Amino acid sequence: MKNVGTAPPLTHEAFRQRQKTAEVDGLSYKPLRVAWTDLGQGKPVILLHGIPTWSFLYNEVIPTLAHSFRVIAPDFLGHGYSDRRDFFDRSLLAQTAMIIRLMDHLGIERADFVGHDTGGGVSLIMAIHHPERVRRLVLTNVVAYDSWPIDDMIALGNPNWRSKTPKEVADFLASGLPDGLFNRDRLTQEFEAGIVAPYSDEEGKISIIRNASALNTNHTTMLVERHGEIRAPTLCLWGVHDPWQTIQDGERLAREIPNACLVRVENASHWIPHDTPDRFAEEVRNFLTNDLNPLQREPSL
């Protein structure tokens, strides 16, 4: 990868200020606000985060990739600073519909997709149900099969959590972040504060509870028999120390998806875009700019 330099990461406040927003219709009975980052020029690459994060997870990856691509990093409905009101669906299917609406709003017919966690579930749905919109696919420590939701998210989805204060919910979210990082020096105060910031008021508290309650493993198990239909060249980019979405799922996806390869990233865990941002950006850029069939590429170990 060409050394393009590394800009200091933005604070979460600055990251939010850089976001664009629009009211998008067709997703509920009235328009919903969608927030996203749009940086760089060239071939569009859409970065999809998971739960309980938001697009801030890609804070250090976005400017690096933006040297080569037009990087679109949206917040899912109910996550980050997209709409957090309490009257719409937040399931993987609903998030997929939002991504299609956002692409139409931005005039993007086709894009490369990078999906992490539940964003990977959405990416799988896109590649199977809307293959004409997906050029290449990067699946990185994604939800798949029946390995999710994890216990913390099941607990959080209990409506009884409404009685807790926003601080109690934010502290609970923060307490789970270390388990998804191999490099503990990456557990900075700013990363922790940034991830939980959208959920640290009453509206955000209710929204993250609703997000957790919307997690439905049927939305990935229904895809398993169709993984072989994916025609987009696919990279399974996996932090091997993930305690939740294990390397075995990455290996299985790489076997089941035609035209796929697996890159195992040592010394990285679940929050791989933050855990090892330089390696993550390098692998994504190399894959998206490589003209060879992915199966012809020597896998990184």
Side-chain angles (χ1 to χ4, degrees), residues 71-93:
V71 179
I72 312 294
D75 291 345
F76 278 148
L77 297 175
H79 299 65
Y81 294 97
S82 286
D83 218 306
R84 299 180 299 171
R85 291 172 291 176
D86 194 17
F87 62 82
F88 53 84
D89 186 10
R90 296 117 186 284
S91 68
L92 298 192
L93 296 180

Side-chain angles (χ1 to χ4, degrees), residues 136-158:
R136 289 199 175 195
L137 184 65
V138 179
L139 302 173
T140 178
N141 294 76
V142 306
V143 301
Y145 310 108
D146 60 354
S147 63
W148 67 290
I150 65 173
D151 290 345
D152 282 358
M153 293 299 103
I154 292 173
L156 184 61
N158 189 319

Side-chain angles (χ1 to χ4, degrees), residues 123-140:
S123 298
L124 285 167
I125 294 171
M126 286 292 301
I128 292 171
H129 288 227
H130 308 281
E132 74 284 356
R133 309 303 294 262
V134 180
R135 182 183 293 107
R136 289 199 175 195
L137 184 65
V138 179
L139 302 173
T140 178

Side-chain angles (χ1 to χ4, degrees), residues 45 50 70 72 74 92-94 96 103 112-113 122 124 152 157 223 253 261 263 277 290-291:
V45 178
R70 179 186 179 187
I72 312 294
L92 298 192
L93 296 180
T96 302
M103 291 177 73
D112 295 323
F113 278 82
V122 171
L124 285 167
D152 282 358
L223 303 174
L253 283 166
C261 65
V263 169
N290 191 342
D291 291 332

Side-chain angles (χ1 to χ4, degrees), residues 43 136 233 286-294 296:
K43 183 170 60 175
R136 289 199 175 195
N286 287 346
F287 175 72
L288 296 183
T289 57
N290 191 342
D291 291 332
L292 295 176
N293 182 307
Q296 295 175 287

Side-chain angles (χ1 to χ4, degrees), residues 15-301:
F15 188 97
R16 181 186 180 186
Q17 290 172 2
R18 187 181 62 187
Q19 288 184 305
K20 303 176 184 296
T21 61
E23 299 290 317
V24 178
D25 61 13
L27 300 172
S28 184
Y29 75 96
K30 55 184 175 181
L32 301 179
R33 183 182 69 255
V34 176
W36 74 95
T37 295
D38 191 337
L39 197 66
Q41 297 180 340
K43 183 170 60 175
V45 178
I46 299 177
L47 308 181
L48 301 182
H49 66 86
I51 188 172
T53 65
W54 52 296
S55 56
F56 182 71
L57 178 69
Y58 293 106
N59 185 21
E60 295 183 49
V61 172
I62 289 171
T64 303
L65 292 179
H67 286 285
S68 303
F69 311 103
R70 179 186 179 187
V71 179
I72 312 294
D75 291 345
F76 278 148
L77 297 175
H79 299 65
Y81 294 97
S82 286
D83 218 306
R84 299 180 299 171
R85 291 172 291 176
D86 194 17
F87 62 82
F88 53 84
D89 186 10
R90 296 117 186 284
S91 68
L92 298 192
L93 296 180
Q95 307 295 358
T96 302
M98 182 275 283
I99 294 302
I100 292 172
R101 290 283 184 171
L102 180 61
M103 291 177 73
D104 291 345
H105 175 81
L106 296 175
I108 297 174
E109 291 293 327
R110 199 164 179 242
D112 295 323
F113 278 82
V114 178
H116 176 263
D117 192 81
T118 53
V122 171
S123 298
L124 285 167
I125 294 171
M126 286 292 301
I128 292 171
H129 288 227
H130 308 281
E132 74 284 356
R133 309 303 294 262
V134 180
R135 182 183 293 107
R136 289 199 175 195
L137 184 65
V138 179
L139 302 173
T140 178
N141 294 76
V142 306
V143 301
Y145 310 108
D146 60 354
S147 63
W148 67 290
I150 65 173
D151 290 345
D152 282 358
M153 293 299 103
I154 292 173
L156 184 61
N158 189 319
N160 290 335
W161 277 67
R162 292 174 301 176
S163 64
K164 295 184 181 294
T165 67
K167 184 179 187 306
E168 287 176 311
V169 171
D171 287 347
F172 175 76
L173 296 177
S175 71
L177 293 177
D179 292 338
L181 290 171
F182 180 87
N183 299 291
R184 292 306 175 92
D185 62 316
R186 300 293 295 158
L187 186 64
T188 62
Q189 184 176 1
E190 174 57 32
F191 174 68
E192 180 179 299
I195 292 298
V196 305
Y199 315 116
S200 298
D201 59 21
E202 187 64 23
E203 182 182 56
K205 178 197 81 173
I206 296 298
S207 193
I208 192 63
I209 292 169
R210 300 293 188 241
N211 295 342
S213 69
L215 299 175
N216 186 344
T217 193
N218 293 323
H219 289 171
T220 51
T221 56
M222 73 180 186
L223 303 174
V224 175
E225 293 184 359
R226 303 186 64 187
H227 288 165
E229 298 176 21
I230 295 176
R231 292 296 173 260
T234 300
L235 169 64
C236 297
L237 179 62
W238 227 268
V240 301
H241 300 284
D242 191 333
W244 304 311
Q245 314 307 328
T246 67
I247 185 62
Q248 286 74 31
D249 281 354
E251 292 168 345
R252 183 178 172 187
L253 283 166
R255 289 194 304 268
E256 294 177 351
I257 298 174
N259 210 20
C261 65
L262 172 68
V263 169
R264 298 173 176 85
V265 181
E266 295 287 349
N267 302 327
S269 185
H270 185 69
W271 313 116
I272 181 173
H274 180 75
D275 210 359
T276 55
D278 292 341
R279 173 70 184 280
F280 183 90
E282 178 182 22
E283 294 291 350
V284 169
R285 179 187 178 278
N286 287 346
F287 175 72
L288 296 183
T289 57
N290 191 342
D291 291 332
L292 295 176
N293 182 307
L295 292 177
Q296 295 175 287
R297 177 173 173 246
E298 287 295 327
S300 300
L301 297 177

